[in-house]
Structures are given as structure tokens and as C-alpha cells.
Amino acid sequence: MSDDQDLQEIEELQAILREDSSNFQARRRLAVVLLDKGFNEEALKQFQFLISIFPNDAGLYYNKGIVHEKMRDSAKAEQAYLKAIELSPDDTDFYYNLGLVYIDMREFDKAIECFKRVLSTDVDDSNSYFNLGLCYVKKEQPEIAKVCFMKAVQLNSNDIFAHFHLGYIYRNEGKIPEAIAEYKKVIEQSPNYSWAYFNLGSIAYDQGDYNSALGYLQKTLEYNPRDIEAYKIMTKILFKTERYDEAYGIMKVALEEVPDNGDLYYVMAQVLKYKQMWAEYKECMTLAMENHDTLSIQPKEVQAELEKNLPQGV
């Protein structure tokens, strides 16, 4: 249904309710359409009204929880889902959504309980395995997380996020071929996933394969031109291969895309130092210190470096 059709339906349902406010079927439909179209406050009013009439309707509390989630109120979403579960303890959808809320609240043990409850009924729920994996990542238990992500991709080979997390875990374990394979699976299914290209580029850089690294990092910036780390690694590669003019060009683009970033000003300053563009070097080092909130090193260290390198009279 198009947006215009949805808005027309909302108007029609509101007209019905103006004539007969006790038409609860129309009110339920209105609440759902408002929720679907992002009119969260209006949807919430409708669900609250319906709950006052049907206080034992678990589905109403479930939808109320969804509204609170969309409104970024995790505490109220939690209470709504708990009430839905109290009224209908066998509905796995309620536990699944509650688990997502607990992830947002960083209550990972509670989230794990919810997703395990879903899996006790539906052993093939790949999304629950993925979210379990995410919880165990947050709990710094990568071995358990890996098992969960592997189960998720076994059930749903198109789960690019599970493949991505597996790649990250394999890389941390030093299993580089396995990590590369996972990131390539991500790209096969989602060719514009910039983080997969970045991680492949970072791995290639660590292996000394600079040409491949540059290729992957260029793809990273194609899909995410504000990726600061990609610019930094590309510049390192161009420095190592003495391609200072190319490094200068890359950093000009970087500062156009991400202005006022301390790290990028500092990296640009290093390029300018090699090119002996001293006035510009001084300016970038100064700007790096001014943008100290995005600078990875202490401003006093930058100042000391500036004083050491800057020729007299500049």
C-alpha cells in the first residue's frame, strides 16, 4: 500500500471513529496503521485507550512495547513486553522483542534468557542465534558467540551480519583465511557493505599486500566517504611506497569529507612535512590541536613535534 493510500485509510478510520467511538475494530486498525507509518505518539494514544477497554489483551501490550521501542524508551517497552508475557507466556514474539530491548539496555544476561526461551520453542530461529551471539560478544565470550553465529549462518546463509561478526572473531583468533572468507561472503550478498571492504583492506595491509589493500580501501570510501580509518591506512600505504603526491590528494579529499577532525589534520600535516610545505604544515598541526576532541595523541605532543620540525622563520 502506498503512502497516499495509508494516509487515506487513516483519514477514513478517523472519520469512522468520529461517528462511532466504540468501533474498536476500526480503532485497532487505526492504531496499527499509525504505528506502521511512524506516527508514534498518536499510535500510543490509541493503544493506551484500547488497553483501558481490553486490559487482558496481550497483543495490545505487545504493540505498545513496539511503539515505546520506536520512541527510544526502553524502560517502558520492557514493562509493556513483560505484561504481554504475563498475559500470554507462550508467545515467542514477546520474548524476542523483550530480548532486543534488553540488548539496548545492556542487560545481556536477561537478553540471553529471552532468546533461549524463543529457541526452546523454535529451534530454527536464526535471528535468535544471531542475537545470542551479539550478547556473548558484548559479554566478551567470543567462543560461545562464534558457535551462535555459525548456527545463525547455517540456518540462514544470507545473514550478512552473522558472517561479519564471524569474520571479526576469526581475525582475532589469527585465523586470517577464515576471516577473509567470511568478509567476502558479506560482500557477495551486500556489495555496498563498506565495513567488510575496510576489514579486508586492513588485513591486506597487515599482510603487506598494499595493492590489494588500496583496492579494498578505495571501495570502502566509495560506499562510506567519511571513513576516517580508511583514509589513515591509505595514507600510510602511500607513504611506505613514497607516493606523497597521491597521499596529499587523498588527504585533501578526507578533509573535505570530514572537516574539523584532529587526526586527519595531523595526518595531512605529516604529508605536508614530506612535501616541505611548511606554512601549510604549521596550519594543519595547529588545527589538529584545536580539534583535540578527535585527536588520538596529546596536543602537547603535537606542539612539541611542531616546534621540533618547523624551520625557523616560518
Side-chain angles (χ1 to χ4, degrees):
M1 188 178 291
S2 68
D3 289 345
D4 288 342
Q5 289 174 316
D6 284 332
L7 294 174
Q8 182 179 350
E9 183 180 12
I10 289 172
E11 292 175 0
E12 290 172 353
L13 290 166
Q14 289 172 332
I16 291 171
L17 291 171
R18 282 194 293 270
E19 293 183 7
D20 180 10
S21 62
S22 64
N23 188 329
F24 299 120
Q25 183 177 356
R27 193 176 294 278
R28 284 174 182 268
R29 177 60 187 167
L30 175 61
V32 170
V33 177
L34 289 169
L35 173 58
D36 288 342
K37 299 309 297 179
F39 297 109
N40 298 324
E41 292 183 2
E42 291 301 317
L44 183 59
K45 290 178 184 177
Q46 298 299 331
F47 285 123
Q48 287 175 329
F49 180 82
L50 288 164
I51 286 170
S52 71
I53 306 298
F54 306 102
N56 295 319
D57 189 319
L60 292 174
Y61 284 100
Y62 172 69
N63 282 313
K64 184 172 182 281
I66 293 174
V67 178
H68 285 307
E69 273 196 88
K70 289 191 173 186
M71 297 176 74
R72 310 298 296 174
D73 192 334
S74 296
K76 289 183 178 178
E78 176 195 17
Q79 292 307 309
Y81 291 138
L82 286 171
K83 183 63 177 180
I85 289 169
E86 177 188 328
L87 294 168
S88 182
D90 295 327
D91 194 315
T92 56
D93 286 344
F94 302 165
Y95 289 97
Y96 182 84
N97 278 41
L98 180 59
L100 295 178
V101 169
Y102 283 137
I103 288 178
D104 284 340
M105 297 174 73
R106 303 189 66 78
E107 296 277 0
F108 301 119
D109 289 328
K110 290 182 179 180
I112 287 169
E113 291 178 13
C114 289
F115 297 123
K116 284 185 175 180
R117 179 60 183 266
V118 175
L119 290 167
S120 70
T121 301
D122 183 0
V123 296
D124 292 331
D125 190 311
S126 64
N127 290 327
S128 288
Y129 278 112
F130 170 78
N131 284 299
L132 275 176
L134 197 61
C135 290
Y136 285 115
V137 166
K138 298 297 184 181
K139 285 169 61 66
E140 298 183 356
Q141 295 178 264
E143 280 299 322
I144 303 176
K146 181 170 67 172
V147 172
C148 294
F149 292 135
M150 290 175 69
K151 186 65 175 179
V153 299
Q154 177 186 334
L155 292 166
N156 177 15
S157 61
N158 295 323
D159 189 335
I160 62 171
F161 301 111
H163 283 299
F164 183 85
H165 281 283
L166 276 172
Y168 185 82
I169 292 171
Y170 282 135
R171 186 179 180 187
N172 284 343
E173 292 178 340
K175 297 177 179 178
I176 302 305
E178 291 87 344
I180 291 172
E182 293 298 330
Y183 290 133
K184 286 186 175 180
K185 288 176 185 176
V186 173
I187 291 171
E188 287 172 7
Q189 298 172 43
S190 182
N192 61 351
Y193 200 97
S194 69
W195 275 104
Y197 289 110
F198 174 80
N199 284 333
L200 285 169
S202 180
I203 290 171
Y205 172 72
D206 290 342
Q207 294 180 325
D209 184 355
Y210 296 152
N211 286 334
S212 294
L214 286 173
Y216 285 127
L217 294 169
Q218 285 168 349
K219 294 293 288 186
T220 301
L221 295 172
E222 178 182 337
Y223 295 115
N224 180 17
R226 295 178 59 82
D227 192 315
I228 293 168
E229 293 304 314
Y231 287 116
K232 290 164 69 173
I233 295 176
M234 285 188 76
T235 305
K236 287 180 181 179
I237 294 171
L238 294 171
F239 258 45
K240 288 177 180 290
T241 53
E242 299 181 352
R243 295 151 69 179
Y244 303 119
D245 288 339
E246 290 180 54
Y248 176 68
I250 286 291
M251 289 311 303
K252 282 188 68 176
V253 172
L255 286 169
E256 288 171 1
E257 293 289 348
V258 193
D260 303 326
N261 181 275
D263 275 352
L264 292 182
Y265 278 121
Y266 179 77
V267 173
M268 174 60 109
Q270 306 313 304
V271 177
L272 293 166
K273 180 177 72 173
Y274 274 88
K275 291 175 67 66
Q276 298 188 354
M277 298 171 66
W278 296 114
E280 293 85 352
Y281 167 75
K282 179 180 179 181
E283 179 183 5
C284 280
M285 292 288 272
T286 302
L287 288 168
M289 290 183 284
E290 289 178 359
N291 290 277
H292 55 83
D293 56 325
T294 52
L295 184 63
S296 298
I297 58 179
Q298 292 295 319
K300 62 182 181 182
E301 295 179 25
V302 178
Q303 181 63 43
E305 183 180 332
L306 174 62
E307 293 173 358
K308 175 183 177 181
N309 292 325
L310 194 65
Q312 292 184 352
V314 178

mmCIF file of all heavy atoms in Angstrom, residues 260 262 288-296 299:
data_model
loop_
_atom_site.group_PDB
_atom_site.id
_atom_site.type_symbol
_atom_site.label_atom_id
_atom_site.label_comp_id
_atom_site.label_asym_id
_atom_site.label_seq_id
_atom_site.Cartn_x
_atom_site.Cartn_y
_atom_site.Cartn_z
ATOM 1 N N ASP A 260 37.327 19.348 10.232
ATOM 2 C CA ASP A 260 37.460 19.559 11.672
ATOM 3 C C ASP A 260 37.725 18.269 12.439
ATOM 4 O O ASP A 260 37.245 18.094 13.566
ATOM 5 C CB ASP A 260 36.212 20.260 12.245
ATOM 6 C CG ASP A 260 35.930 21.589 11.552
ATOM 7 O OD1 ASP A 260 36.906 22.257 11.158
ATOM 8 O OD2 ASP A 260 34.747 21.938 11.401
ATOM 9 N N GLY A 262 40.683 16.144 14.167
ATOM 10 C CA GLY A 262 42.056 16.321 14.616
ATOM 11 C C GLY A 262 43.019 15.314 14.018
ATOM 12 O O GLY A 262 44.125 15.669 13.587
ATOM 13 N N ALA A 288 44.992 20.563 14.141
ATOM 14 C CA ALA A 288 44.909 19.284 14.840
ATOM 15 C C ALA A 288 44.772 19.511 16.343
ATOM 16 O O ALA A 288 43.950 18.872 17.009
ATOM 17 C CB ALA A 288 46.147 18.440 14.546
ATOM 18 N N MET A 289 45.562 20.440 16.879
ATOM 19 C CA MET A 289 45.486 20.733 18.312
ATOM 20 C C MET A 289 44.163 21.389 18.678
ATOM 21 O O MET A 289 43.599 21.133 19.754
ATOM 22 C CB MET A 289 46.661 21.613 18.725
ATOM 23 C CG MET A 289 48.003 20.880 18.706
ATOM 24 S SD MET A 289 49.376 21.889 19.285
ATOM 25 C CE MET A 289 49.669 22.962 17.848
ATOM 26 N N GLU A 290 43.653 22.237 17.793
ATOM 27 C CA GLU A 290 42.377 22.893 18.072
ATOM 28 C C GLU A 290 41.228 21.893 18.105
ATOM 29 O O GLU A 290 40.257 22.069 18.851
ATOM 30 C CB GLU A 290 42.097 23.963 17.017
ATOM 31 C CG GLU A 290 42.999 25.182 17.132
ATOM 32 C CD GLU A 290 42.741 26.212 16.038
ATOM 33 O OE1 GLU A 290 41.863 25.966 15.185
ATOM 34 O OE2 GLU A 290 43.423 27.254 16.039
ATOM 35 N N ASN A 291 41.357 20.828 17.306
ATOM 36 C CA ASN A 291 40.330 19.785 17.273
ATOM 37 C C ASN A 291 40.776 18.588 18.120
ATOM 38 O O ASN A 291 40.728 17.445 17.680
ATOM 39 C CB ASN A 291 40.066 19.369 15.827
ATOM 40 C CG ASN A 291 39.369 20.452 15.039
ATOM 41 O OD1 ASN A 291 38.151 20.592 15.082
ATOM 42 N ND2 ASN A 291 40.149 21.242 14.294
ATOM 43 N N HIS A 292 41.170 18.877 19.343
ATOM 44 C CA HIS A 292 41.759 17.849 20.210
ATOM 45 C C HIS A 292 40.775 16.761 20.606
ATOM 46 O O HIS A 292 41.176 15.668 21.000
ATOM 47 C CB HIS A 292 42.329 18.512 21.473
ATOM 48 C CG HIS A 292 41.328 19.336 22.220
ATOM 49 N ND1 HIS A 292 40.423 18.809 23.115
ATOM 50 C CD2 HIS A 292 41.082 20.672 22.180
ATOM 51 C CE1 HIS A 292 39.669 19.772 23.607
ATOM 52 N NE2 HIS A 292 40.046 20.911 23.053
ATOM 53 N N ASP A 293 39.459 17.039 20.514
ATOM 54 C CA ASP A 293 38.475 16.022 20.884
ATOM 55 C C ASP A 293 38.451 14.857 19.900
ATOM 56 O O ASP A 293 37.931 13.776 20.221
ATOM 57 C CB ASP A 293 37.075 16.640 20.998
ATOM 58 C CG ASP A 293 36.640 17.350 19.731
ATOM 59 O OD1 ASP A 293 37.506 17.950 19.065
ATOM 60 O OD2 ASP A 293 35.439 17.312 19.409
ATOM 61 N N THR A 294 38.994 15.049 18.695
ATOM 62 C CA THR A 294 39.088 13.973 17.707
ATOM 63 C C THR A 294 40.548 13.672 17.370
ATOM 64 O O THR A 294 40.850 13.152 16.298
ATOM 65 C CB THR A 294 38.312 14.338 16.422
ATOM 66 O OG1 THR A 294 38.736 15.638 15.971
ATOM 67 C CG2 THR A 294 36.817 14.356 16.676
ATOM 68 N N LEU A 295 41.428 13.977 18.288
ATOM 69 C CA LEU A 295 42.869 13.766 18.096
ATOM 70 C C LEU A 295 43.320 12.611 18.975
ATOM 71 O O LEU A 295 43.049 12.601 20.183
ATOM 72 C CB LEU A 295 43.630 15.043 18.454
ATOM 73 C CG LEU A 295 45.137 15.064 18.235
ATOM 74 C CD1 LEU A 295 45.493 14.910 16.761
ATOM 75 C CD2 LEU A 295 45.720 16.368 18.783
ATOM 76 N N SER A 296 44.008 11.631 18.391
ATOM 77 C CA SER A 296 44.387 10.423 19.115
ATOM 78 C C SER A 296 45.617 10.605 19.996
ATOM 79 O O SER A 296 45.897 9.763 20.847
ATOM 80 C CB SER A 296 44.649 9.273 18.130
ATOM 81 O OG SER A 296 43.478 8.969 17.404
ATOM 82 N N PRO A 299 47.653 16.946 22.607
ATOM 83 C CA PRO A 299 48.029 18.205 21.932
ATOM 84 C C PRO A 299 49.436 18.677 22.280
ATOM 85 O O PRO A 299 50.130 19.234 21.424
ATOM 86 C CB PRO A 299 46.961 19.186 22.424
ATOM 87 C CG PRO A 299 45.774 18.340 22.728
ATOM 88 C CD PRO A 299 46.340 17.059 23.271
#
